[in-house]
Amino acid sequence: MPTSPATSSTTGSRPARTRILLADDHALVRRGVRLILDGEPDLQVVAEAGDGAEAIELARSEQPDLAILDIAMPRLTGLQAARELSKVMPELRILMLTMYDNEQYFFEALKSGASGYVLKSVADRDLVEACRAAMRDEPFLYPGAVTALIRNYLDRVREGGDVPARAITDREEEILKLVAEGHSSKEIADLLVISVKTVERHRANLLQKLGLRDRLELTRYAIRAGLIEP
């Protein structure tokens, strides 16, 4: 005799929980966010990463449904990780969880494949709904941001502008971040599996493009761009 819906509902079966990868370089932040998410019946953190590179590795091994990425992290930023994950795991939903109430980061997040942008300051209020929106393939922005962002975008379009353009390429951004973190050209070459000569060429291009003079100015720029924390 076929099993009725009522019978199946009494067997204790539940909808599968959304499996979440959480990446933030601060353990206390991860702990607090995990408490919020694991307290929900439909959400479960299955892996934690302390930087963008580890997030990519764990996403490949754990195959989560959703990745929540901080923007400013060591080795690879959340934006860099999101770009890579969007290419290698196109079905993975991505949210950016950040302290930066910043238009440029917002547009970069969208271009990187993120479907939502949540401020840490209101994570306890917004993050759960952002996760559920992402799993419905719906975008999520923190309240108050939408009107300002759309208005600013339309103003630029009317003036013949466009969304903020990136001054440097993805590879140059990788080099910049590693230089700012104090790595030598040889170390960078080993990390990225390229030649020292290629690293030096990218470094020279960065200085020329950004109008900077030395490693110290590159580091200051990387801090302002959110690639590393001060």
Side-chain angles (χ1 to χ4, degrees), residues 73-225:
M73 292 190 290
R75 294 172 70 195
L76 289 178
T77 68
L79 293 173
Q80 290 173 320
R83 284 197 288 270
E84 177 65 18
L85 289 172
S86 294
K87 287 188 286 188
V88 300
M89 299 178 65
E91 298 302 313
L92 178 68
R93 273 74 163 192
I94 299 173
L95 290 176
M96 305 308 300
L97 179 63
T98 176
M99 61 184 290
Y100 298 112
D101 184 357
N102 181 295
E103 176 191 340
Q104 181 178 351
Y105 290 136
F106 164 70
F107 282 114
E108 285 293 332
L110 293 186
K111 288 194 289 183
S112 298
S115 60
Y117 193 91
V118 182
L119 292 181
K120 288 183 179 180
S121 59
V122 290
D124 57 336
R125 184 189 72 196
D126 290 347
L127 185 56
V128 169
E129 179 51 37
C131 291
R132 291 170 179 157
M135 296 311 296
R136 296 192 301 264
D137 283 328
E138 297 174 4
F140 183 91
L141 300 177
Y142 56 94
V146 181
T147 302
L149 289 168
I150 292 175
R151 182 175 60 244
N152 197 289
Y153 174 83
L154 293 175
D155 286 345
R156 277 200 307 275
V157 170
R158 277 194 293 268
E159 294 166 5
D162 203 346
V163 296
R166 298 179 70 225
I168 59 179
T169 66
D170 290 352
R171 176 61 91 186
E172 287 168 345
E173 184 180 88
E174 288 180 313
I175 303 286
L176 169 61
K177 180 173 173 58
L178 292 169
V179 167
E181 288 177 347
H183 295 282
S184 68
S185 294
K186 176 68 166 59
E187 289 169 338
I188 295 171
D190 291 342
L191 283 168
L192 300 181
V193 196
I194 57 178
S195 69
V196 173
K197 186 175 181 179
T198 300
V199 173
E200 295 293 351
R201 187 176 72 248
H202 282 303
R203 191 166 170 169
N205 288 342
L206 279 166
L207 292 171
Q208 182 178 15
K209 279 186 176 184
L210 300 175
L212 305 177
R213 292 174 297 180
D214 53 30
R215 177 194 286 267
L216 178 59
E217 291 190 352
L218 281 172
T219 302
R220 288 172 178 161
Y221 180 90
I223 291 170
R224 289 197 304 272

